[in-house]
C-alpha cells in the first residue's frame, strides 16, 4: 500500500478508544456545540473561550476528542500556538500533529520522520521521484497543507493568546481562512479571549460562533482524585468531597470578590497544586494519628483550607512569597467573625458614620481571612511548616507540624481543651443548641472564663461577645460577667509568657469589640500587659547585664533569629541594661566577641525594617562607645584593630539610622 495512502486513510475499525456514554459527559453542551459545528456548512472557526487554567484544553482532549474519533469521521488534531513565531511553523505543527495521530496505526510518527528524512525518501523511490520530503517539511504552509485530507480534519488551535508577537494577527487569520474556506477544514480555537491581542477585528472576520467554557468543579475534582494511587489519600478525598466542594464555593456578598473567587476556584492547575501539597501533611497525620478521630478530621479540614487559600495567593503574581508573608503569620487565629451589630449592647444611639476602609499593614491579611475563612465561618490558623512547603518546597518537620496543630487546637491529652471546644461551639454554630443547652453552655463558658482556663487573650474577648450579648438568656448580669472575665484574665496573664504576636493580635482586633464592658476589658488587658512587660523587662535586663560581662558572644547568640529571612520586630530592651556593666564589659571582649557584636549590630539595626522601634537603644550604643574609650587603645593588638576598623564604624552607622528615625518622629 502506498505509504501516503496509508497515512491519510481513515480506519475507524483500528481506533481503540473506549467510548463513554454521552449522558455521562460533563459539560455536555460543549460536545454538542462542537459536533454541530462539524455537521453544518460553516464559513468560520468555532471559538472555545474561558479563563486560564479552567481546564478547556484538558476537557477537549480527554472528553471531547475520544467521542469525535469514535462517533464521527473527523480526525481531531490539537496544535499549540505557544511561542510560535512564523506562519510556516503553524503549518508544520499541523502536519506533525497529523503524523503523530496517524502514526499510531502506521508506525510512522513525527519523531522517526524528523530523524530519518533521507532514509525515508531513499526507501520509497516513488515518493522521492514526485515529492521532495525535506522541502515539504520545511516549505511554505500551502505546500504542507495540500497533503492533508481537510474534509476530515478538526484542527484545534490552542494558546492563541500566547502566540509570538512576531506573527501578525492578519497572518494567522489568513491561515484560518485558508483552512476553512478553501481547504474545507473545521477549525476550533481554544483561548482565553480576554487576553487575545487585537481580538475584536480578528473575531469579526474569522469566528463564526463562540462557546463559553464554565468548568464543572465536581467533575474536575473527580478526575484529579482518580489520578492518585494511594488508596488512603484517594479514599479521604472521596469521603470528604462535599467539604472540598464547599471550600470551592465562591459565594460571598461582594460581587467583585465573588467573581474573582469563582475564577480562582475554577483553575484546575491551582486545585491540582493544592491537592498535591495537601498530600504531605495528610501523610504526617496518618502516621501519627487515627484518621477517624473527630479531632484529626477537623485538623485535616483546617489544613486543607489553609493550603487552598495559600496556594491561590501564592500562584498570583507579585503576591505572597517565602519571605513576604504580609502578616498572615501574625493574623489572629480565633477572632470571632460574628456580626456584632446583631447584639444590642446598649451603646450610644448616635449613628456611626461609616468610614472608608484604610490600607495599613493588616489590610492584606484581614482581606485574606475574610475571603477564604469568613465566608465559611471557619477559624483561621497559620501553619508555618505548610506555608514553607508551598512557597519554597521546604520539607515539613513533622514534630513541628504536630506541635503547631496541638497548640492551635488547644489539645489537652489528645483532645481539644474543653473550654475551647465549648467556645468553638458558640463561634461556629451557637444556633444549633437547644434552648436548654444554650443556657447551660453559657453558664459553663462563664465558669471556664472566670477560672482562667481559656488559653489565649482573644478567646476571653470572644467569650465576652456571647456572654454579654446573650446576658438575658441565663442567670447573670453585665457587671458580674465583666468582673469574672477580668478575674480569669488576671489568672491567665499571670502564668504565661507574653510575645509579640499576642500583643499585635490584640491591637489588630480591639476595634471590633464595641461593647462598653469589652472595651474596658481591653483597657485592663493592655495595662496588665504593660505591668507584666515592665517587671519582665527589669528581670531580663538584669540577666543580660550579667551575661554581656560574662560572655559577650553568648549574649549576641540569644538575639540571633533562627531564620534571618523571616523577622518579627525586635523588642527594645538594651537601653535597660546596667550602664556600668556594659561599659566595663568592653575590656573583656576578645576578637571573636568584637566581630560577633559587629555583625549583630548590623542585623539588629540595619538589616531590618523594624529599627524604628529601637530608638531608645541609642543609649546602649552610646554606652558601648564610652566603654571603648575606657579601654587601653595605645597597644597595637588585634582587639584594638578590630575595634577601630570594624566595631566603631558599625556603631556610627547604627546610631545614624536610629537618629534618623528619632528626627522623623520629632518632625
Amino acid at each position: 500500500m502506498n505509504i501516503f495512502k496509508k497515512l491519510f486513510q481513515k480506519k475507524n475499525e483500528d481506533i481503540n478508544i473506549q467510548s463513554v456514554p454521552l449522558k455521562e459527559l460533563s459539560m455536555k453542551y460543549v460536545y454538542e456545540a462542537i459536533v454541530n459545528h462539524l455537521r453544518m456548512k460553516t464559513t468560520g472557526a468555532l471559538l472555545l473561550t474561558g479563563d486560564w487554567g479552567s481546564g478547556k484544553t484538558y476537557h477537549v482532549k480527554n472528553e471531547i476528542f475520544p467521542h469525535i474519533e469514535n462517533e464521527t469521521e473527523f480526525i481531531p488534531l490539537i496544535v499549540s500556538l505557544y511561542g510560535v513565531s512564523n506562519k510556516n511553523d503553524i503549518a508544520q505543527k499541523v502536519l506533525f500533529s497529523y503524523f503523530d495521530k496517524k502514526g499510531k496505526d502506521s508506525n510512522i510518527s513525527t519523531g522517526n520522520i524528523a530523524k530519518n528524512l533521507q532514509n525515508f525518501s531513499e526507501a520509497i523511490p516513488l515518493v522521492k521521484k514526485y515529492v521532495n520530503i525535506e522541502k515539504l517539511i520545511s516549505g511554505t504552509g500551502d505546500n504542507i497543507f495540500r497533503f492533508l485530507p481537510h474534509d476530515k480534519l478538526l484542527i484545534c488551535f490552542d494558546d492563541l493568546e500566547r502566540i509570538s508577537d512576531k506573527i501578525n494577527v492578519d497572518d494567522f487569520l489568513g491561515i484560518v481562512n485558508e483552512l476553512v474556506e478553501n481547504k474545507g477544514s473545521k477549525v476550533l480555537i481554544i483561548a482565553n479571549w480576554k487576553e487575545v491581542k487585537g481580538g475584536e477585528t480578528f473575531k469579526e472576520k474569522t469566528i463564526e460562533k463562540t462557546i463559553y467554557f464554565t468548568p464543572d468543579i465536581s467533575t474536575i475534582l473527580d478526575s484529579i482524585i482518580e489520578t492518585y494511587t494511594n488508596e488512603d489519600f484517594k479514599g479521604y478525598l472521596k469521603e470528604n468531597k462535599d467539604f472540598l466542594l464547599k471550600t470551592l464555593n465562591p459565594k460571598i456578598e461582594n460581587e467583585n470578590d465573588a467573581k474573582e473567587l469563582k475564577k480562582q476556584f475554577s483553575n484546575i492547575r491551582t486545585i491540582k497544586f493544592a491537592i498535591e501539597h495537601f498530600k504531605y501533611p495528610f501523610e504526617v497525620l496518618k502516621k501519627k494519628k487515627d484518621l477517624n478521630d473527630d479531632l484529626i478530621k477537623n485538623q485535616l479540614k483546617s489544613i486543607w483550607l489553609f493550603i487552598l487559600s495559600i496556594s491561590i495567593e501564592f500562584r498570583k503574581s507579585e503576591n505572597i512569597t517565602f519571605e513576604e508573608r504580609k502578616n498572615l503569620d501574625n493574623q489572629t487565629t480565633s477572632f470571632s467573625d460574628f456580626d456584632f451589630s446583631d447584639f444590642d449592647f446598649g451603646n450610644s444611639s448616635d449613628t456611626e458614620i461609616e468610614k472608608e476602609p484604610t490600607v495599613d499593614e493588616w489590610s492584606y491579611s484581614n482581606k485574606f481571612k475574610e475571603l477564604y475563612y469568613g465566608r465559611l465561618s471557619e477559624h483561621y490558623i497559620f501553619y508555618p511548616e505548610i506555608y514553607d512547603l508551598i512557597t519554597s518546597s521546604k520539607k515539613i518537620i513533622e514534630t513541628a507540624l504536630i506541635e503547631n496543630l496541638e497548640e492551635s487546637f488547644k489539645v489537652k491529652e489528645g483532645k481539644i481543651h474543653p473550654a475551647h471546644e465549648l467556645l468553638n461551639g458558640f463561634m461556629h454554630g451557637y444556633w444549633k443548641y437547644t434552648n436548654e443547652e444554650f443556657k447551660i453552655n453559657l453558664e459553663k463558658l462563664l465558669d471556664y472564663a472566670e477560672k482562667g482556663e481559656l488559653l489565649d487573650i482573644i478567646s476571653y474577648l470572644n467569650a465576652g461577645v456571647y456572654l454579654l450579648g446573650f446576658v438575658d438568656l441565663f442567670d447573670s448580669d453585665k457587671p458580674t460577667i465583666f468582673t469574672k472575665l477580668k478575674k480569669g484574665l488576671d489568672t491567665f496573664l499571670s502564668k504565661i509568657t507574653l510575645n509579640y504576636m499576642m500583643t499585635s493580635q490584640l491591637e489588630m482586633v480591639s476595634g471590633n469589640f464595641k461593647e462598653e464592658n469589652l472595651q474596658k476589658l481591653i483597657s485592663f488587658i493592655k495595662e496588665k500587659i504593660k505591668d507584666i512587660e515592665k517587671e519582665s523587662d527589669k528581670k531580663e535586663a538584669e540577666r543580660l547585664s550579667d551575661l554581656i560581662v560574662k560572655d559577650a558572644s553568648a549574649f549576641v547568640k540569644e538575639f540571633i533569629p533562627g531564620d534571618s529571612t523571616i523577622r518579627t520586630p525586635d523588642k527594645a530592651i538594651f537601653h535597660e541594661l546596667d550602664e556600668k556593666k556594659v561599659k566595663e564589659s568592653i575590656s573583656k571582649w576578645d576578637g571573636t566577641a568584637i566581630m560577633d557584636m559587629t555583625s549583630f549590630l548590623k542585623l539588629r539595626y540595619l538589616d531590618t525594617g523594624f529599627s524604628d522601634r529601637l530608638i531608645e537603644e541609642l543609649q546602649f550604643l552610646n554606652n558601648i562607645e564610652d566603654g571603648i574609650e575606657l579601654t587601653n587603645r595605645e597597644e597595637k593588638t588585634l582587639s584594638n584593630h578590630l575595634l577601630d576598623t570594624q566595631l566603631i564604624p558599625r556603631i556610627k552607622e547604627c546610631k545614624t539610622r536610629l537618629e534618623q528615625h528619632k528626627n522623623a518622629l520629632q518632625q
Side-chain angles (χ1 to χ4, degrees):
M1 180 184 292
N2 185 293
I3 186 68
F4 282 97
K5 184 177 181 181
K6 185 175 182 181
L7 272 174
F8 301 150
Q9 184 178 24
K10 171 76 173 171
K11 295 181 67 179
N12 287 326
E13 66 272 19
D14 291 339
I15 298 177
N16 186 25
I17 299 177
Q18 184 176 358
S19 179
V20 180
L22 185 58
K23 63 181 181 180
E24 293 182 16
L25 267 175
S26 65
M27 292 166 281
K28 183 178 176 181
Y29 69 93
V30 177
Y31 171 80
E32 291 174 344
I34 293 175
V35 170
N36 286 338
H37 187 72
L38 297 179
R39 289 172 178 165
M40 297 173 67
K41 292 182 179 180
T42 56
T43 58
L46 184 66
L47 170 67
L48 179 62
T49 182
D51 291 328
W52 280 330
S54 60
K56 303 182 296 295
T57 306
Y58 179 89
H59 182 74
V60 168
K61 288 176 66 175
N62 292 280
E63 295 199 47
I64 306 297
F65 275 12
H67 286 275
I68 289 176
E69 289 181 315
N70 264 3
E71 298 163 13
T72 76
E73 294 184 350
F74 281 89
I75 304 169
L77 310 177
I78 192 157
V79 175
S80 174
L81 300 173
Y82 196 119
V84 172
S85 57
N86 65 73
K87 60 183 183 179
N88 288 337
D89 287 345
I90 296 174
Q92 290 176 18
K93 278 198 165 192
V94 173
L95 180 64
F96 287 152
S97 179
Y98 185 83
F99 281 158
D100 286 337
K101 177 73 70 173
K102 297 304 295 178
K104 296 174 183 177
D105 301 322
S106 60
N107 295 322
I108 294 178
S109 65
T110 300
N112 58 42
I113 287 178
K115 292 178 181 178
N116 301 290
L117 284 175
Q118 191 61 39
N119 292 338
F120 183 80
S121 59
E122 291 292 339
I124 307 174
L126 188 63
V127 171
K128 183 178 180 181
K129 181 177 180 180
Y130 293 102
V131 180
N132 185 324
I133 297 295
E134 291 187 21
K135 194 171 183 180
L136 168 67
I137 299 300
S138 60
T140 65
D142 289 342
N143 284 338
I144 294 174
F145 283 137
R146 64 194 175 100
F147 284 96
L148 298 176
H150 292 278
D151 60 336
K152 302 300 181 185
L153 289 184
L154 168 61
I155 304 174
C156 300
F157 291 112
D158 193 15
D159 299 316
L160 174 59
E161 64 273 38
R162 295 183 173 97
I163 199 168
S164 171
D165 292 337
K166 294 180 180 179
I167 294 186
N168 187 284
V169 172
D170 289 337
D171 288 339
F172 179 72
L173 170 65
I175 293 175
V176 173
N177 283 341
E178 174 68 17
L179 289 171
V180 174
E181 296 182 5
N182 299 329
K183 303 295 185 184
S185 293
K186 300 293 185 179
V187 175
L188 171 67
I189 297 174
I190 305 174
N192 180 357
W193 187 256
K194 293 179 293 186
E195 304 297 330
V196 175
K197 297 177 181 178
E200 289 311 311
T201 301
F202 173 77
K203 186 176 183 180
E204 181 181 348
K205 295 180 179 179
T206 308
I207 305 301
E208 186 171 87
K209 291 181 181 178
T210 299
I211 315 170
Y212 294 91
F213 185 84
T214 304
D216 177 54
I217 302 300
S218 179
T219 302
I220 288 175
L221 267 181
D222 288 337
S223 64
I224 294 174
I225 290 170
E226 287 304 318
T227 64
Y228 286 94
T229 57
N230 183 307
E231 292 302 321
D232 288 334
F233 187 58
K234 180 187 286 189
Y236 175 84
L237 295 176
K238 286 183 176 179
E239 290 172 11
N240 292 275
K241 181 183 173 185
D242 287 344
F243 172 74
L244 299 179
L245 288 173
K246 179 184 175 183
T247 64
L248 294 167
N249 184 347
K251 185 177 180 180
I252 197 169
E253 288 185 8
N254 186 293
E255 291 184 6
N256 291 331
D257 290 341
K259 185 177 180 180
E260 178 62 22
L261 282 177
K262 183 178 180 181
K263 176 182 175 182
Q264 299 300 332
F265 291 160
S266 299
N267 192 311
I268 190 171
R269 296 187 187 96
T270 299
I271 297 175
K272 284 181 175 180
F273 181 89
I275 291 178
E276 182 63 19
H277 284 79
F278 179 59
K279 181 177 65 175
Y280 290 89
F282 175 86
E283 291 295 331
V284 172
L285 265 66
K286 189 183 77 171
K287 287 192 294 184
K288 303 286 184 182
K289 308 287 184 178
D290 177 8
L291 294 179
N292 293 318
D293 183 83
D294 288 340
L295 173 60
I296 304 307
K297 289 179 180 179
N298 289 332
Q299 289 176 336
L300 282 171
K301 288 180 178 180
S302 173
I303 289 172
W304 161 252
L305 188 53
F306 180 76
I307 288 176
L308 175 65
S309 53
I310 294 297
S311 295
I312 291 172
E313 293 299 304
F314 176 64
R315 287 172 64 84
K316 293 178 182 178
S317 60
E318 298 182 0
N319 215 335
I320 56 173
T321 64
F322 175 67
E323 296 88 0
E324 180 51 75
R325 302 186 179 195
K326 295 189 176 180
N327 268 330
L328 292 178
D329 51 341
N330 293 324
Q331 175 66 267
T332 177
T333 61
S334 55
F335 166 54
S336 174
D337 290 309
F338 192 85
D339 184 357
F340 295 96
S341 63
D342 287 356
F343 287 149
D344 178 12
F345 282 131
N347 292 334
S348 170
S349 60
D350 293 340
T351 302
E352 184 176 343
I353 299 174
E354 186 173 344
K355 297 179 181 179
E356 289 293 325
T358 57
V359 177
D360 58 28
E361 62 177 322
W362 295 102
S363 295
Y364 175 83
S365 60
N366 283 336
K367 185 67 174 180
F368 174 94
K369 188 180 173 188
E370 174 192 344
L371 286 178
Y372 298 109
Y373 288 81
R375 66 190 173 87
L376 299 171
S377 296
E378 291 287 344
H379 269 180
Y380 170 69
I381 298 176
F382 181 81
Y383 297 102
E385 295 294 321
I386 297 173
Y387 184 93
D388 291 350
L389 170 70
I390 294 172
T391 59
S392 69
S393 295
K394 188 176 179 181
K395 183 180 179 181
I396 288 178
I397 300 175
E398 297 183 8
T399 54
L401 176 59
I402 297 298
E403 287 175 5
N404 184 209
L405 278 167
E406 294 191 347
E407 180 182 350
S408 299
F409 279 80
K410 306 299 188 291
V411 176
K412 183 178 181 180
E413 297 179 355
K415 295 183 178 180
I416 297 178
H417 191 290
H420 284 272
E421 187 172 25
L422 181 60
L423 179 58
N424 290 343
F426 278 96
M427 293 179 68
H428 300 288
Y430 68 88
W431 55 88
K432 298 175 185 177
Y433 294 129
T434 65
N435 291 335
E436 186 61 27
E437 286 174 339
F438 192 68
K439 179 180 179 179
I440 292 172
N441 286 335
L442 282 170
E443 292 170 346
K444 284 183 178 179
L445 183 61
L446 182 56
D447 185 56
Y448 281 132
E450 182 185 10
K451 292 178 180 178
E453 294 194 27
L454 293 170
L455 303 179
D456 62 80
I457 294 172
I458 309 300
S459 290
Y460 286 89
L461 297 173
N462 285 334
V465 170
Y466 301 98
L467 293 169
L468 293 164
F470 294 112
V471 64
D472 295 334
L473 301 185
F474 74 116
D475 300 326
S476 191
D477 55 71
K478 289 187 176 183
T480 300
I481 292 171
F482 171 76
T483 300
K484 290 185 176 183
L485 287 171
K486 184 177 176 181
K487 179 182 176 183
L489 274 163
D490 204 8
T491 300
F492 168 71
L493 291 170
S494 66
K495 60 185 180 183
I496 66 165
T497 301
L498 291 172
N499 57 44
Y500 169 74
M501 185 177 293
M502 290 181 186
T503 55
S504 64
Q505 287 181 354
L506 179 64
E507 282 297 325
M508 181 182 67
V509 304
S510 59
N512 292 285
F513 296 97
K514 308 292 187 183
E515 198 272 338
E516 180 183 358
N517 288 287
L518 292 178
Q519 282 295 311
K520 285 165 59 180
L521 205 61
I522 289 170
S523 297
F524 166 75
I525 294 170
K526 290 180 177 179
E527 288 301 316
K528 187 72 176 178
I529 287 175
K530 286 181 182 178
D531 292 341
I532 293 172
E533 288 181 332
K534 186 175 181 180
E535 184 61 30
S536 175
D537 288 350
K538 181 180 178 182
K539 292 179 180 179
E540 180 67 357
E542 291 174 357
R543 185 185 71 84
L544 293 174
S545 296
D546 291 335
L547 182 60
I548 200 170
V549 173
K550 181 181 178 181
D551 189 341
S553 291
F555 171 90
V556 166
K557 288 176 183 177
E558 288 205 13
F559 294 92
I560 299 295
D563 186 346
S564 60
T565 63
I566 302 170
R567 297 284 300 279
T568 55
D570 296 309
K571 179 182 174 66
I573 191 174
F574 293 169
H575 61 292
E576 300 282 357
L577 269 59
D578 186 286
E579 181 178 329
K580 182 179 179 181
K581 289 183 178 180
V582 172
K583 292 178 181 179
E584 291 177 350
S585 70
I586 310 299
S587 61
K588 300 179 181 180
W589 293 3
D590 59 13
T592 299
I594 293 170
M595 292 306 297
D596 285 346
M597 185 63 70
T598 302
S599 299
F600 169 63
L601 294 182
K602 181 174 185 292
L603 182 65
R604 187 170 180 85
Y605 301 111
L606 303 178
D607 294 346
T608 175
F610 306 118
S611 58
D612 58 323
R613 306 180 188 215
L614 303 174
I615 294 173
E616 294 172 293
E617 293 189 0
L618 270 167
Q619 182 60 47
F620 172 69
L621 296 174
N622 289 332
N623 290 340
I624 295 179
E625 279 188 326
D626 292 343
I628 292 173
E629 291 301 319
L630 294 175
T631 61
N632 184 353
R633 304 287 302 287
E634 296 181 359
E635 295 184 21
K636 293 184 178 181
T637 63
L638 175 60
S639 295
N640 281 338
H641 176 77
L642 294 175
L643 287 173
D644 290 335
T645 62
Q646 302 296 323
L647 184 56
I648 292 176
R650 179 58 46 78
I651 291 172
K652 292 184 184 303
E653 286 182 279
C654 296
K655 286 180 65 177
T656 298
R657 174 65 61 84
L658 295 185
E659 284 166 353
Q660 288 172 345
H661 292 316
K662 184 178 179 179
N663 292 334
L665 285 176
Q666 293 173 345
Q667 290 177 354

